Amino acid sequence: DLAAALSERDRLLAIGHRLVIVTRGADGAIASDGQSSWSVAGKPIRPVDTTGAGDSFIAGFIACWKETGDVAAALDAGTERAAVTCMTLGGFPQDGRAF
């Protein structure tokens, strides 16, 4: 829930982390650097499978943040990538090969 997410964010900031991002599944994500706070809502989708959503979120976040330095845009990019991942069974397109 939001209260737990905010509590964890504040705990991590208090021990010295410079930027904290807390993902909240379908409810989106929050971030803070101790001075500013950002939030983004989850994307309105009907997920097929959430496998890999967290990895996709952080990859999208980091790529955007590194390019733009904009935390709000990076949160949005992360949620967008996670939503796309959730629309695919198994977290990524399967081509039918046996491994």
Side-chain angles (χ1 to χ4, degrees):
D1 70 353
L2 180 57
L6 292 170
S7 177
E8 184 63 7
R9 178 202 67 186
D10 293 345
R11 183 187 74 77
L12 292 168
L13 288 168
I15 62 173
H17 293 281
R18 294 185 338 200
L19 179 64
V20 175
I21 299 105
V22 181
T23 60
R24 303 182 57 235
D27 292 325
I30 60 173
S32 180
D33 62 5
Q35 303 297 315
S36 298
S37 294
W38 303 268
S39 66
V40 65
K43 304 299 180 197
I45 63 166
R46 289 189 174 194
V48 175
D49 186 349
T50 61
T51 301
D55 292 334
S56 294
F57 173 88
I58 200 63
F61 179 92
I62 290 170
C64 182
W65 186 47
K66 189 154 176 67
E67 184 176 320
T68 68
D70 184 336
V71 175
L75 284 174
D76 192 58
T79 56
E80 182 66 34
R81 294 311 318 148
V84 169
T85 296
C86 288
M87 300 302 294
T88 304
L89 185 62
F92 59 93
Q94 309 294 316
D95 65 4
R97 290 181 288 168
F99 293 98

